[in-house]
Amino acid sequence: MVKKAVIPAAGFGTRFLPATKSQPKEMLPIVDTPTIQYVVQEAIDAGITDILLIIGRGKRALEEYFSKNYELEDQLREKQKQKELELINFLPDNVAVHFIWQHEQNGLGDAVKYARHHVGDEPFAVLLGDTVLESFTDKPVIRHLIDVYNRYEEGVFALEEVAPELVSRYGVIDGEDLGEGIFRIQDMVEKPSLEEAPSNLVVASRYVLPPEIFTALEVVEPGKGGEIQLTDALRLLMKDQPMYGYRIDGIRHDMGDKLEFLKTNIHFGLKHDDLADRLKAYLKDLVKEF
Ligand code: UTP
């Protein structure tokens, strides 16, 4: 049973400066809700009850967001603002959120390494804290990955089909198509050229991993930019254990990217009960000017 999730959220967010100088990119809102809340909710909706956030300098707002604000609660109760009270009390009682500091920002692989003690000898989920995955099915993406994990009892990560000209930005897989969106991974290439890319399926911010990944993370050498890359540890682990991919049926919203941030806010705004009509009218007017 996968009951624990690790959410790396300690990165500097250099693509989103200056906003991220003193606030976590994971707190950037989608309309009125911080990105991290969508990520945590995805884990909760998948049956996860133990969540570990990897944070670091400048990320205190994440801790505060998941702790109780008694003063605010008292005031909302006094003013009988029931709806607002529910909005700030979003964590179910059976879910625990923990925090650990990554002392130096040495990459995603290094961030995951900090979870070793907390996770112990169990499979666990990894969800990148700056990326929202909107599922088009009745289950969250991480639930699909847990189902694949339970079926094969091997590590699995999300795959996204991207336009061929975009492959050079991502980790790209070579894999055998097993049907139902599942692939047995044969190889992975980090940021290949269009000609070198074995497919247009890229690794997409969600993983369910066996505990052996921690041993692999201990031995991999720092890669690009002196950082410990999770992809390198996965490639090492693949020498001993099969690894699977699951092609997502949905949209990936990378909130650490400025254009994606704007697009995601418009996308969710257009689905928002109170805002949709007014936003649509505004956008229609706006496009006339271009
Ligand atoms: P990114 O690859 O987006 O890196 O991290 P970044 O440093 O945060 O952002 P840029 O590229 O400088 O703008 C993917 C996820 O891994 C976490 C980030 O917080 C993000 O959720 N991460 C990354 C860590 O927790 N620690 C790190 O050392 C690096």
Side-chain angles (χ1 to χ4, degrees):
M1 288 286 267
V2 179
K3 286 284 161 205
K4 291 181 181 169
V6 174
I7 303 184
F12 279 130
T14 42
R15 286 172 296 153
F16 220 118
L17 283 169
T20 45
K21 184 182 174 197
S22 63
Q23 65 163 336
K25 60 175 166 175
E26 295 79 7
M27 285 300 293
L28 290 170
I30 301 177
V31 185
D32 53 4
T33 303
T35 300
I36 192 69
Q37 189 173 328
Y38 282 95
V39 178
V40 164
Q41 194 61 47
E42 181 186 343
I44 294 172
D45 291 345
I48 300 278
T49 49
D50 183 312
I51 295 168
L52 176 67
L53 260 84
I54 316 289
I55 57 166
R57 194 175 303 285
K59 303 278 184 168
R60 286 259 183 245
L62 287 166
E63 277 183 292
E64 279 195 34
Y65 192 72
F66 289 98
S67 40
K68 277 206 164 280
N69 183 338
Y70 292 104
E71 271 180 336
L72 178 60
E73 278 186 32
D74 284 349
Q75 209 182 76
L76 292 174
R77 216 169 279 121
E78 239 167 63
K79 293 186 174 158
Q80 298 186 340
K81 297 209 172 236
Q82 196 51 37
K83 199 172 139 226
E84 286 77 3
L85 254 176
E86 280 165 26
L87 283 177
I88 63 165
N89 277 320
F90 46 80
L91 268 190
D93 290 340
N94 67 332
V95 174
V97 178
H98 310 271
F99 299 89
I100 198 164
W101 263 59
Q102 181 189 21
H103 296 290
E104 283 176 66
Q105 271 85 344
N106 283 337
L108 174 59
D110 180 66
V112 172
K113 233 161 86 171
Y114 278 81
R116 184 173 202 164
H117 186 67
H118 187 92
V119 166
D121 200 19
E122 301 174 28
F124 64 105
V126 177
L127 301 90
L128 300 196
D130 64 352
T131 305
V132 172
L133 288 190
E134 189 185 349
S135 177
F136 289 161
T137 73
D138 56 354
K139 288 190 230 171
V141 168
I142 199 70
R143 181 68 240 177
H144 285 288
L145 297 195
I146 293 172
D147 292 345
V148 175
Y149 185 93
N150 289 342
R151 184 153 154 192
Y152 297 99
E153 300 208 336
E154 305 286 359
V156 52
F157 47 79
L159 297 172
E160 185 192 13
E161 212 166 340
V162 299
E165 63 272 19
L166 297 181
V167 285
S168 58
R169 297 187 195 172
Y170 301 98
V172 183
I173 65 113
D174 186 8
E176 181 193 350
D177 189 346
L178 305 178
E180 299 173 62
I182 302 170
F183 292 76
R184 192 198 305 269
I185 309 296
Q186 266 133 9
D187 201 5
M188 264 191 283
V189 197
E190 199 54 48
K191 301 190 169 75
S193 66
L194 181 56
E195 297 72 40
E196 288 165 341
S199 73
N200 64 339
L201 288 170
V202 306
V203 183
S205 76
R206 298 291 186 270
Y207 313 74
V208 174
L209 300 172
E212 289 79 17
I213 192 69
F214 293 116
T215 318
L217 282 167
E218 288 300 333
V219 297
V220 286
E221 297 286 329
K224 275 198 185 103
E227 296 189 338
I228 307 279
Q229 305 288 348
L230 182 59
T231 313
D232 289 342
L234 290 172
R235 207 182 282 123
L236 188 64
L237 191 62
M238 263 165 46
K239 290 184 182 160
D240 295 330
Q241 313 186 353
M243 190 74 71
Y244 292 84
Y246 175 77
R247 186 180 51 219
I248 62 171
D249 182 7
I251 308 181
R252 185 173 57 90
H253 302 279
D254 175 2
M255 295 293 287
D257 177 271
K258 289 175 201 175
L259 182 60
E260 283 285 304
F261 166 84
L262 292 172
K263 281 160 69 175
T264 305
N265 267 286
I266 293 170
H267 180 85
F268 279 73
L270 289 171
K271 293 180 177 193
H272 193 282
D273 287 346
D274 298 338
L275 303 176
D277 289 344
R278 281 177 290 159
L279 181 60
K280 215 178 283 171
Y282 167 73
L283 290 173
K284 274 187 185 153
D285 263 2
L286 195 68
V287 288
K288 282 187 208 147
E289 290 175 23
F290 288 96

